[in-house]
Amino acid sequence: MEKFIDNLPAMDLMRSEKMTFVQLIIPVESAHRAISYLGELGLVQFRDLNADKSPFQRTFVNQVKRCAEMSRKLRFFRDQISKAGLLSSVHPVLQPDIDLEELEIQLAEHEHELIELNSNSDRIQHSYNELLEYKMVLQKAIGFLVSSNSHVVSEERELDENIYSNDHYGDEVSLLEQDIRPGPSDQSGLRFVSGIICKSKALRFERMLFRATRGNMLFNHAPADELMMDPLSTEMVEKTVFVVFFSGMQAKTKILKICEAFGANCYPVPEDITKQRQITREVSSRLAELETTLDAGIRHRNKALASIGFHLAKWMNMVRREKAVYDTLNMLNFDVTKKCLVGEGWCPIFAKPKIQEALQRATFDSNSQVGVIFHVMDAIDSPPTYFRTNRFTSAFQEIVDAYGVARYQEANPAVYTVITFPFLFAVMFGDWGHGICLLLGALVLIARESKLSAQKLGSFMEMLFGGRYVLLLMSLFSIYCGLIYNEFFSVPFHIFGGSAYKCRDTACSEVYTIGLIKYRDPYPFGVDPSWRGSRSELPFLNSLKMKMSILLGVVQMNLGILLSYFNARFFSSSLDIRYQFVPQMIFLNSLFGYLSLLVVIKWCTGSQADLYHVMIYMFLSPTDDLGENQLFWGQRPLQIILLLLALIAVPWMLFPKPFILKKLHTERFQGRAYGMLGTSEMDLEVEPDSARQRHEEFNFSEVFVHQMIHSIEFVLGAVSNTASYLRLWALSLAHSELSTVFYEKVLLLAWGYDSFIIRLIGLSVFAFATAFILLMMETLSAFLHALRLHWVEYQNKFYHGDGYKFKPFSFASIAEDED
């Protein structure tokens, strides 16, 4: 058996790639090119040899700063292109390669040109906005002044007729009336201030003016005909033109200060109509000139941005790569001669020829007289974990890695998760109508894969797209389980032939009371459609799904324990096989393996035995006669044997391993058992918290407590984990019942009416409930429960998950992170 297992071909994803720790000694003249070539290859993870130094104390800090400055300029160009509404070229035009120094000069020139263009444009735009406001003020204020003058003329006539003839006028006339009275005006004559203010501030502005002048003012305003750009905030806002009539220089000073406080822009308007027309013509002429200048400036600026946009993607990629190269070079050390850089890191063993070829190419291309020295070293640290995945397996590997990255070379759960995860999801979600809906969604994502992968998606859509193949398998298994449950949006169909049951009479009057009678062989595949609506439907489906959940749980937990055996064999740990794997298999299968056997026998024989009674009294009174609950001959002695084995398995797991480890440690340091040295070291390596540590620090109490916790956790977990698999039954029942409620109480109820409107409403509510509750919420719920079953109930039997990912220096991953 062992030879057969050893001769099995290795699975790609079962174990992580074998890694090796390497040292690179690179001449200074070829260091940049060598690191660049390794970045293109993306198979070396460098270790930081300058971790004790700050970023500003490293060798290539100046080059990193230059790259950061160039990145800032490129981001400035990108923002300017985006603000101008232009599109940067996704596929950059071909141009001769330029080095970093030339690019730095070009970027500085482009930045200076753009800043100057923006400054000129802003200055012209500011003048244009002010003139546009002035023009609007002239148009509106002239109307106020004309109406004011006509009002003054009518008032003068009335005063001449009624008041000026009065002898006592000089004692009784008001200040405003004295100002209006014809004659030469003095310093206290009627004046006005005109300007423009944001519409949102106009009401508060008027109140403030009224209070400041104590009501001795006249405020006229009119909305501007169009949205205008505020010269300070450069935002398009609604504005209001105002004219304030007042008397006295003191009032003028107050009004101007209030205008300044409210951000109102004041513009002079002459009282003479001839001057008003002349200024209006001048303003219109100046506006036309500025508009032409602005258009020419925008065209020139857009042309400059377009020329930058053609090369922007290439320049950003080049600067990003250069910065990454210098960041990596900062992780290397100078040797004592200051002529070579020394680097250390991890790489997969299969990549060694590719790395050596890249280093040789770098030496040749840089015309270096000395080649790069590449040699393997021994490492104290545990190697990183690296799995080579593709588009299909990467999503399943991410599901496993979200729990914890696999320890180096331990069995990878993702191999089996590819099938078990979507299958357990489908057990809870089984409905082939809903499965078809999920399948259509998955096929759309896969069909548009190349297009969607190039787009920037939202967080939800990106998650959905990343799991498109998980969704595909979940939908296929949902269709399969739905056919077994015989549910299509909760409706059964006679897909695989007729039912095995029929009514007792032609009227089918006793179908819900006494029940149906069986008249032919069982339905060939899945649940018989006649169970639907019968009085025993729920008890039958509950019994079926509950027992099926227990069977699936026991099988998956046994698979987890079996994988712990393969781990122990791989790491040559005979202790784990004898004192961990064997007692765990015995304990789990003596109790729940036996329960699964009883379920299968009861299904096959059609027995009416009560399995609850059998399992309870197996512990309470194992020697009592089983009576009608006996399923096969020799069941009682078998139960006694299994119970004794389960009791023996607990101390078997707990005591031997810590004492054997203590004995091996003592013998090693007393100079005996040299032949066992290699084996015992490997045994220690598989112990958590003891790998790669000094063996002199062996602490028996810690090892014993750890083993005790592990044993108690397994014994209690065997019960709780098996019960946890009942969630498969619970969620499957909930999904089926929800689907039935929506079908019967919404769709069929609406279809019972003769109104088209009611039927349409019912169909809409049914479609909404199906899409958002059954296809979205129930999918998420089943996904999370399947995730928990894998992370807790399955992986805790064998999976340590305390490794760390292999993160090589790679230009491709840098580009992905930037996106």
Side-chain angles (χ1 to χ4, degrees):
M1 181 67 182
E2 289 185 1
K3 289 183 179 179
F4 173 74
I5 292 174
D6 291 337
N7 292 329
L8 286 174
M11 297 171 67
D12 285 345
L13 274 175
M14 186 62 183
R15 307 278 173 194
S16 61
E17 294 292 338
K18 291 183 179 180
M19 308 295 286
T20 182
F21 191 70
V22 297
Q23 185 182 57
L24 304 174
I25 301 175
I26 313 171
V28 173
E29 61 270 15
S30 60
H32 183 279
R33 199 177 294 270
I35 298 299
S36 297
Y37 288 173
L38 291 178
E40 290 172 0
L41 193 60
L43 288 170
V44 181
Q45 175 179 320
F46 287 95
R47 194 170 70 170
D48 192 357
L49 301 179
N50 299 310
D52 56 333
K53 295 181 180 179
S54 71
F56 300 102
Q57 294 174 326
R58 305 203 177 199
T59 310
F60 299 94
V61 62
N62 291 328
Q63 287 85 342
V64 172
K65 286 180 180 177
R66 286 170 60 196
C67 291
E69 179 62 18
M70 284 190 281
S71 296
R72 183 197 62 77
K73 292 174 182 176
L74 289 168
R75 287 195 301 272
F76 169 69
F77 297 152
R78 185 181 61 191
D79 293 342
Q80 291 294 310
I81 290 171
S82 176
K83 193 183 293 184
L86 303 174
L87 293 175
S88 58
S89 177
V90 179
H91 304 287
V93 295
L94 295 175
Q95 64 168 359
D97 292 333
I98 58 173
D99 58 19
L100 202 64
E101 286 74 17
E102 291 180 10
L103 180 59
E104 191 173 17
I105 295 169
Q106 282 192 25
L107 293 182
E109 291 174 353
H110 286 307
E111 185 188 32
H112 179 72
E113 181 186 9
L114 269 181
I115 289 174
E116 191 173 346
L117 285 172
N118 287 342
S119 176
N120 293 336
S121 178
D122 291 343
R123 191 167 59 252
I124 296 171
Q125 186 70 48
H126 185 76
S127 302
Y128 179 81
N129 292 334
E130 286 185 341
L131 284 173
L132 198 60
E133 288 184 351
Y134 194 12
K135 182 181 178 182
M136 194 62 63
V137 169
L138 285 170
Q139 290 174 353
K140 299 293 181 180
I142 289 172
F144 294 146
L145 293 175
V146 169
S147 62
S148 176
N149 289 337
S150 62
H151 176 72
V152 168
V153 170
S154 62
E155 288 291 335
E156 284 177 353
R157 287 175 182 168
E158 188 177 347
L159 287 169
D160 289 341
E161 291 173 2
N162 300 319
I163 299 176
Y164 294 157
S165 58
N166 194 340
D167 296 334
H168 303 286
Y169 171 75
D171 299 328
E172 299 173 1
V173 70
S174 68
L175 177 63
L176 182 58
E177 287 166 350
Q178 286 181 3
D179 290 340
I180 296 173
R181 182 177 177 179
S185 62
D186 54 14
Q187 292 296 323
S188 61
L190 189 65
R191 302 167 182 275
F192 68 91
V193 170
S194 57
I196 194 166
I197 191 171
C198 289
K199 188 177 179 180
S200 58
K201 300 178 182 178
L203 187 59
R204 288 180 289 133
F205 178 62
E206 183 179 359
R207 286 175 181 170
M208 182 60 73
L209 288 174
F210 185 83
R211 290 170 183 167
T213 59
R214 299 180 181 180
N216 292 319
M217 64 93 190
L218 180 64
F219 185 82
N220 285 331
H221 64 92
D225 296 336
E226 54 185 277
L227 291 176
M228 307 185 73
M229 185 182 288
D230 187 62
L232 297 176
S233 64
T234 67
E235 292 180 358
M236 300 301 289
V237 293
E238 291 185 16
K239 293 207 170 186
T240 299
V241 177
F242 66 87
V243 177
V244 185
F245 294 95
F246 61 91
S247 177
M249 289 300 296
Q250 190 174 3
K252 180 179 181 181
T253 306
K254 288 182 181 179
I255 290 169
L256 291 176
K257 284 184 177 180
I258 293 170
C259 288
E260 184 180 355
F262 276 82
N265 302 319
C266 297
Y267 299 98
V269 178
E271 295 183 38
D272 188 10
I273 296 176
T274 308
K275 288 184 179 179
Q276 289 173 1
R277 291 173 180 171
Q278 182 181 353
I279 291 175
T280 303
R281 284 195 300 270
E282 289 178 1
V283 168
S284 299
S285 173
R286 181 69 178 147
L287 276 172
E289 292 175 4
L290 288 179
E291 194 169 349
T292 306
T293 308
L294 269 176
D295 290 341
I298 290 172
R299 283 198 302 271
H300 181 61
R301 180 170 168 273
N302 288 347
K303 187 178 179 182
L305 288 173
S307 66
I308 293 171
F310 282 127
H311 309 294
L312 185 64
K314 181 176 180 179
W315 288 348
M316 291 188 78
N317 187 42
M318 179 181 173
V319 172
R320 196 184 301 129
R321 287 186 172 210
E322 288 292 328
K323 186 176 184 298
V325 167
Y326 285 117
D327 282 335
T328 305
L329 285 170
N330 276 333
M331 299 169 72
L332 276 55
N333 259 341
F334 268 110
D335 70 337
V336 290
T337 63
K338 299 291 183 183
K339 293 181 179 179
C340 293
L341 286 165
V342 180
E344 296 175 358
W346 295 98
C347 73
I349 288 179
F350 74 84
K352 282 168 64 178
K354 297 179 182 177
I355 294 170
Q356 289 172 334
E357 189 272 331
L359 294 175
Q360 289 172 3
R361 192 154 43 89
T363 303
F364 178 78
D365 291 348
S366 58
N367 298 321
S368 175
Q369 301 297 320
V370 183
V372 179
I373 299 173
F374 173 87
H375 64 95
V376 178
M377 294 176 62
D378 292 331
I380 300 174
D381 300 330
S382 176
T385 302
Y386 174 48
F387 294 106
R388 281 190 281 180
T389 56
N390 53 34
R391 288 180 298 180
F392 180 79
T393 57
S394 60
F396 295 97
Q397 189 64 55
E398 287 297 325
I399 289 174
V400 173
D401 289 347
Y403 173 81
V405 179
R407 182 183 288 184
Y408 177 63
Q409 290 271 284
E410 79 168 323
N412 182 19
V415 177
Y416 305 96
T417 301
V418 171
I419 297 301
T420 59
F421 183 85
F423 178 70
L424 291 185
F425 168 87
V427 170
M428 296 179 274
F429 193 77
D431 186 305
W432 63 279
H434 298 151
I436 288 173
C437 295
L438 288 184
L439 179 62
L440 292 175
L443 291 177
V444 168
L445 291 173
I446 293 171
R448 303 181 64 189
E449 184 175 315
S450 57
K451 184 178 179 181
L452 290 172
S453 59
Q455 294 179 0
K456 194 171 182 66
L457 305 173
S459 56
F460 175 76
M461 194 63 193
E462 188 176 357
M463 179 182 65
L464 204 62
F465 178 69
R468 59 195 179 279
Y469 291 106
V470 179
L471 193 63
L472 175 68
L473 286 187
M474 289 195 310
S475 62
L476 291 174
F477 278 108
S478 296
I479 293 171
Y480 170 72
C481 288
L483 290 172
I484 290 178
Y485 298 158
N486 202 346
E487 290 187 11
F488 178 83
F489 295 101
S490 80
V491 180
F493 282 87
H494 294 76
I495 303 173
F496 301 101
S499 171
Y501 301 90
K502 67 178 182 179
C503 297
R504 296 173 185 269
D505 55 4
T506 54
C508 268
S509 56
E510 299 174 340
V511 63
Y512 296 114
T513 54
I514 302 175
L516 302 170
I517 57 170
K518 186 175 181 181
Y519 76 100
R520 56 187 288 180
D521 291 335
Y523 193 68
F525 184 85
V527 175
D528 194 305
S530 295
W531 285 105
R532 171 76 176 192
S534 67
R535 64 186 177 89
S536 55
E537 176 192 10
L538 209 55
F540 167 73
L541 289 179
N542 278 344
S543 174
L544 170 70
K545 292 181 178 180
M546 180 174 64
K547 291 170 182 173
M548 182 182 66
S549 301
I550 297 293
L551 289 176
L552 292 174
V554 171
V555 168
Q556 191 173 32
M557 287 190 292
N558 271 294
L559 174 63
I561 299 173
L562 193 63
L563 286 175
S564 72
Y565 166 77
F566 286 109
N567 268 342
R569 273 190 58 81
F570 183 82
F571 293 112
S572 304
S573 176
S574 57
L575 283 180
D576 281 343
I577 295 175
R578 294 183 198 132
Y579 306 110
Q580 197 161 297
F581 165 71
V582 173
Q584 284 182 357
M585 287 294 283
I586 289 173
F587 183 85
L588 180 67
N589 291 294
S590 295
L591 303 179
F592 300 104
Y594 174 64
L595 173 61
S596 302
L597 177 67
L598 293 181
V599 168
V600 174
I601 292 174
K602 183 178 178 180
W603 278 349
C604 294
T605 59
S607 170
Q608 298 298 313
D610 185 359
L611 298 187
Y612 294 110
H613 183 277
V614 172
M615 292 304 297
I616 290 171
Y617 283 93
M618 177 179 173
F619 293 94
L620 296 180
S621 52
T623 57
D624 288 1
D625 186 30
L626 294 171
E628 62 181 10
N629 290 321
Q630 182 165 334
L631 285 163
F632 56 90
W633 180 85
Q635 183 176 351
R636 189 176 63 179
L638 177 62
Q639 286 186 177
I640 295 172
I641 293 170
L642 291 176
L643 188 61
L644 291 173
L645 284 174
L647 292 174
I648 292 169
V650 177
W652 190 353
M653 271 187 283
L654 176 59
F655 293 109
K657 187 176 176 181
F659 287 100
I660 292 173
L661 286 173
K662 183 181 179 182
K663 181 186 174 186
L664 291 173
H665 176 79
T666 306
E667 289 178 350
R668 182 183 302 115
F669 289 101
Q670 286 180 351
R672 297 199 300 271
Y674 286 111
M676 298 175 63
L677 189 61
T679 305
S680 57
E681 280 181 355
M682 292 305 292
D683 290 341
L684 281 173
E685 278 184 5
V686 297
E687 280 298 307
D689 302 325
S690 64
R692 306 296 181 182
Q693 290 183 354
R694 296 184 179 276
H695 302 320
E696 292 84 351
E697 297 174 1
F698 181 82
N699 190 326
F700 174 75
S701 61
E702 284 186 9
V703 173
F704 186 81
V705 168
H706 176 271
Q707 189 66 24
M708 183 172 65
I709 292 171
H710 185 75
S711 302
I712 294 172
E713 182 184 11
F714 180 82
V715 171
L716 297 178
V719 180
S720 64
N721 293 166
T722 306
S724 183
Y725 276 94
L726 292 175
R727 71 184 66 238
L728 297 173
W729 158 49
L731 265 81
S732 175
L733 178 67
H735 185 84
S736 175
E737 291 302 308
L738 268 176
S739 186
T740 303
V741 166
F742 290 139
Y743 175 70
E744 292 182 352
K745 303 301 181 185
V746 176
L747 190 62
L748 290 186
L749 192 65
W751 229 251
Y753 291 90
D754 220 5
S755 169
F756 173 76
I757 301 296
I758 295 177
R759 289 185 176 184
L760 186 62
I761 293 172
L763 185 62
S764 302
V765 172
F766 175 76
F768 179 84
T770 300
F772 288 95
I773 297 177
L774 295 176
L775 289 181
M776 289 184 67
M777 293 177 62
E778 282 286 304
T779 300
L780 182 61
S781 173
F783 181 91
L784 292 176
H785 283 283
L787 199 63
R788 183 240 151 80
L789 289 175
H790 279 77
W791 281 359
V792 179
E793 279 71 30
Y794 168 53
Q795 291 179 191
N796 71 354
K797 302 293 185 292
F798 68 98
Y799 189 60
H800 292 100
D802 55 358
Y804 64 100
K805 268 188 177 182
F806 176 61
K807 294 181 179 178
F809 169 59
S810 169
F811 291 146
S813 62
I814 293 167
E816 288 174 6
D817 293 343
E818 187 73 18
D819 293 339

